[in-house]
Amino acid sequence: MLEPLLGNMPLALLVAGLVLMALEALSPGAHLIVIGVALVGAGLIGVIFPSPLSPFILAALTLAIGLAAAYVYNEFDFYGGKGTAQTTDSSSLSGTTGYVTETVTNRGGEVKLDKGGFAPYYSARSTSGTIEEGEEVIVLDPGGGNVLTVESLGAIGEDEIDRALARDATASDSPAGDDERGDDESETETEKSR
């Protein structure tokens, strides 16, 4: 019963590899391509050189070709996603920007996120008022990924840090910045703490 299988081992490897490669074509990213290439490679060598290769030699060929295929698969980006951040869960959407595709109110709407993953369109609602189509938004609360809470970038005002940076920028731009301040204002924090 094993005799026909062992006699046609290279052909069996070739067929099994082609089946796995076809399955990879139907489901990209399943990593069946590495095993499929290894089996096809060992099967082709066995078919081209029909000398009686033992199953151990075919297994070693499969392993060697599989390691080479795994290296090539990992080194070269065949699916176009290497090094790009992908949305992994809803919490990663927080702080993501995008724009409104369907007017957003406190009850609903739709936005398209710039880095929103495979399907970047999300249902959204606003915290205050209406956000019109085309306006840029930022995600405040991902809400589990089902309905995002967003706010218009134009509606977000200055915070304490922005005001402090603006004061520092205007102080460094004025030529007599230190002369205009009083003596107690020019003291450093270290001098004040003494």
Side-chain angles (χ1 to χ4, degrees):
M1 179 165 182
L2 290 176
E3 186 63 33
L5 180 63
L6 291 176
N8 294 323
M9 181 66 74
L11 190 58
L13 290 175
L14 183 63
V15 169
L18 290 173
V19 167
L20 287 175
M21 290 172 76
L23 289 173
E24 175 72 18
L26 294 174
S27 174
H31 304 298
L32 297 174
I33 192 77
V34 173
I35 299 169
V37 166
L39 292 175
V40 166
L44 277 176
I45 290 173
V47 168
I48 292 172
F49 303 108
S51 64
L53 296 176
S54 73
F56 296 112
I57 294 174
L58 287 174
L61 279 172
T62 304
L63 181 62
I65 295 170
L67 289 173
Y71 173 76
V72 169
Y73 180 80
N74 286 328
E75 191 65 28
F76 300 102
D77 185 20
F78 292 112
Y79 291 118
K82 186 175 184 179
T84 58
Q86 295 292 323
T87 303
T88 56
D89 57 6
S90 63
S91 63
S92 67
L93 294 174
S94 185
T96 304
T97 59
Y99 62 91
V100 176
T101 58
E102 192 177 294
T103 302
V104 176
T105 65
N106 60 356
R107 294 188 165 259
E110 184 181 74
V111 296
K112 180 180 181 186
L113 299 180
D114 296 332
K115 296 180 183 174
F118 181 69
Y121 293 92
Y122 292 89
S123 295
R125 64 176 177 228
S126 71
T127 55
S128 59
T130 301
I131 305 171
E132 297 298 325
E133 246 180 82
E135 281 191 57
E136 287 190 76
V137 293
I138 186 167
V139 177
L140 299 177
D141 180 19
N146 293 334
V147 179
L148 308 175
T149 302
V150 298
E151 187 64 49
S152 173
L153 284 176
I156 297 176
E158 284 186 341
D159 62 356
E160 185 102 10
I161 295 172
D162 291 332
R163 287 189 290 272
L165 289 172
R167 274 195 311 269
D168 288 345
T170 57
S172 66
D173 288 343
S174 67
D178 290 336
D179 296 337
E180 293 176 3
R181 292 187 291 183
D183 292 336
D184 60 332
E185 288 182 21
S186 62
E187 289 181 284
T188 63
E189 289 295 321
T190 309
E191 292 170 346
K192 287 181 182 179
S193 64
R194 290 186 199 170

